[in-house]
Amino acid sequence: MLLNVVEAGSGEHTVVLLHGMMGSAESWHRVVPALTERGFRVLALDLPGHGLSPRDPQLTIESAADAVVETLACLLEPPSATPGPPLIAAMGHSFGATVLAAAAPRLEPALAVYVDAALTLQGGQDRAALVSQYEHDRRARLSPAELRRARPFYSVADAEAEARAAERFDAATAASVSCGSDGHWSAAPGSIVVRADPSAWVTDEDARRFEHEGVRVRSIPGAAHTVWYSHFDVFTAALPELFGSR
């Protein structure tokens, strides 16, 4: 499966972005220019069942990771004598972070950043019930005005991006991920976890586990799950490896 990719910038080094559940590549609309301004080439992917990428009602985290790896192989290793820009960093949010953790051993980014994700998955969900729940949640996100009322930290552009993502979201693909076995993925030592504080997704216990495994944890007090929507400047400041002066 080849995924839809939004590409920006033409720098020597590449940053890959993977959005969260019910989002899209457009969810990074504020992050992308902040990276290209610092000289990066940016590849933001629509994950399976999201945005303009194919659907797969049998999707797993592993098959989503396969799709990411296959898609990036076409972009980072072009069939020519001139090698493509090296993959300097990959950043994933929530569901996208878990997919990144599954793909990272093959992608081998110089830096992996996981945003508000514990990299675990509770499986065994009832498929029909979960599809129904996701479809209900999707319909609730179709109005930009309603999104801004529910999430006052959203800008107009944020709400419009997330409403378009909801229009294109496939509930059956997303639900399939949670209908198999439980899953746990590791972050390599030296990786970074950025989490909201408090976080419903990365608990204090999770943070201690990450730190014990050599993962750097950076907490942003009061942030929403989509950390850069609510605390953009604090989020970028927490990642000087990507957003600092170059």
Side-chain angles (χ1 to χ4, degrees):
M1 180 191 293
L2 293 180
L3 304 174
N4 182 62
V5 181
V6 176
E7 182 172 356
S10 57
E12 179 183 358
H13 299 295
T14 301
V15 178
V16 170
L17 302 175
L18 303 180
H19 61 81
M21 186 70 75
M22 215 172 293
S24 74
E26 197 179 357
S27 297
W28 302 103
H29 69 95
R30 291 188 67 190
V31 172
V32 170
L35 291 169
T36 58
E37 287 168 4
R38 287 161 175 81
F40 291 113
R41 176 196 188 199
V42 181
L43 303 174
L45 279 60
D46 284 332
L47 291 170
H50 295 76
L52 300 178
S53 284
R55 279 51 181 140
D56 179 3
Q58 302 303 317
L59 190 73
T60 64
I61 293 292
E62 287 76 15
S63 62
D66 290 344
V68 168
V69 171
E70 182 179 359
T71 300
L72 292 176
C74 298
L75 296 165
L76 298 174
E77 300 177 13
S80 69
T82 303
L87 175 57
I88 187 71
M91 179 157 56
H93 171 238
S94 195
F95 166 58
T98 307
V99 174
L100 174 58
R106 288 173 285 169
L107 295 177
E108 297 184 326
L111 175 67
V113 179
Y114 302 98
V115 182
D116 218 34
L119 310 185
T120 60
L121 178 72
Q122 182 179 353
Q125 303 297 306
D126 179 86
R127 186 179 299 269
L130 196 53
V131 169
S132 177
Q133 181 62 55
Y134 275 143
E135 182 58 27
H136 175 272
D137 294 345
R138 184 192 74 83
R139 290 194 299 269
R141 295 170 63 95
L142 292 173
S143 165
E146 289 300 323
L147 278 171
R148 292 199 75 198
R149 273 191 280 273
R151 300 166 177 82
F153 55 87
Y154 272 17
S155 68
V156 171
D158 296 340
E160 290 175 347
E162 293 305 305
R164 279 189 292 272
E167 289 176 4
R168 297 166 174 168
F169 172 74
D170 181 61
T173 298
S176 178
V177 171
S178 298
C179 294
S181 302
D182 293 352
H184 173 82
W185 294 265
S186 298
S191 300
I192 298 172
V193 168
V194 179
R195 67 166 188 150
D197 184 16
S199 170
W201 302 89
V202 182
T203 65
D204 291 343
E205 182 179 352
D206 292 326
R208 287 190 291 270
R209 169 175 56 84
F210 280 128
E211 290 173 338
H212 179 74
E213 295 169 352
V215 177
R216 293 168 284 175
V217 177
R218 298 170 185 174
S219 301
I220 299 181
H225 179 48
T226 311
V227 178
W228 66 95
Y229 275 3
S230 67
H231 288 65
F232 182 79
D233 291 339
V234 182
F235 172 75
T236 55
L239 291 168
E241 297 87 352
L242 293 177
F243 300 102
S245 299
R246 299 188 72 220

